[in-house]
Amino acid sequence: MSQAHGMRKGAKPGKIGAMVSALGAAIVRGEIAPGAVLPPEHELEAHYRVGRSVVREAMKTLTAKGLVSVRPRHGTHVRPAQDWMLLDSDVLGWVRNSGGLDRSLLLALEETRAIIEPAAGALAAQRATPEDVWRINAALAAMDDGQFDPQAAIAADKAFHLAILEATHNPVLRSFRGAIDAILSAIFDITVGVFTGNLPNHAAVARAIEARDAKQAREAMEVLLGYTYGHLLSDGAITPPDLKKSTLGETP
């Protein structure tokens, strides 16, 4: 959701975004405990050097992301992690930047991909236009070219999966684009080390889509995701570091 959506007159989007980012990241880092009551508006205004309208719009955004709940006469409470909107790109980004994702969350994200992407591959095989197939193959070629450049590899890999999602021509699945993008960013940071080994599986998906073979596209995507899932299961290095504790996040 856009932070400026429904914004009060006089509120500044840049200041709202900065406050949302600082306070959201502080909550995710555990600097403000679940169940804790945030300071009253006037204290938040002073701490972040913003006006009341900015504070209120920031609270609306954090509420929509599942990080806080506002109860009249009871203040604004921090919600537990299980209530966070983890498919929100901001929230997942804060989790990533807080020191790493633990294995259980990474595996949960990969399970979510396993629910969506094989079916998306099958639909893409049935519905992809020539332009869709070109985009998928172009992303595959970029993956091959960038396999020894981690940043290029991640960008091309994301483009490949998002191109398949677009090729479904299903408006509901396409609406998952932002969520899948956020998931891929989190997963690929960990799995880029085994990127080259999974390239043939990506090629198999692309060939099946181009051949209009929905069954093969589904099965090839399952193999591709199984490769990633297996790596996550075997990787013992996914542990979040100790985090500093403070009272409130600082605006950048």
Side-chain angles (χ1 to χ4, degrees), residues 35-172:
V37 181
L38 293 183
E41 279 186 356
H42 70 275
E43 291 185 22
L44 291 172
E45 290 171 31
H47 182 84
Y48 292 103
R49 299 178 182 178
V50 296
R52 179 174 298 179
S53 62
V54 170
V55 171
R56 290 183 175 178
E57 292 301 324
M59 291 306 108
K60 284 183 183 179
T61 300
L62 291 172
T63 298
K65 294 177 184 296
L67 270 64
V68 302
S69 60
V70 181
R71 290 180 284 176
R73 296 185 296 278
H74 293 281
T76 301
H77 291 71
V78 175
R79 297 173 69 177
Q82 61 263 29
D83 293 340
W84 299 348
M85 301 298 181
L86 288 173
L87 294 185
D88 180 282
S89 59
D90 287 336
V91 176
L92 198 51
W94 296 329
V95 173
R96 287 171 62 212
N97 294 334
S98 68
L101 299 163
D102 62 32
R103 182 182 285 103
S104 63
L105 181 53
L106 283 165
L107 293 176
L109 293 171
E110 193 63 15
E111 286 173 354
T112 303
R113 293 183 68 196
I115 292 168
I116 297 171
E117 291 198 64
L123 282 176
Q126 295 171 332
R127 300 175 179 175
T129 66
E131 291 77 14
D132 292 326
V133 172
W134 182 88
R135 279 191 289 270
I136 292 167
N137 284 328
L140 180 65
M143 289 174 67
D144 187 57
D145 291 341
Q147 59 184 295
F148 301 111
D149 178 345
Q151 293 306 313
I154 289 173
D157 206 346
K158 287 172 66 175
F160 179 87
H161 290 275
L162 294 175
I164 291 172
L165 202 64
E166 286 293 316
T168 66
H169 294 273
N170 178 304
V172 177

Side-chain angles (χ1 to χ4, degrees), residues 113 116-117 161-162 165 176-185:
R113 293 183 68 196
I116 297 171
E117 291 198 64
H161 290 275
L162 294 175
L165 202 64
F176 278 94
R177 181 182 177 88
I180 293 296
D181 193 338
I183 290 174
L184 296 179
S185 295

Side-chain angles (χ1 to χ4, degrees), residues 110-125 161 164 168 173 205 209 214-226:
E110 193 63 15
E111 286 173 354
T112 303
R113 293 183 68 196
I115 292 168
I116 297 171
E117 291 198 64
L123 282 176
H161 290 275
I164 291 172
T168 66
L173 279 174
V205 172
I209 291 172
K215 180 175 182 293
Q216 185 58 37
R218 179 188 292 272
E219 291 175 353
M221 184 65 80
E222 288 172 347
V223 171
L224 185 163
L225 296 176

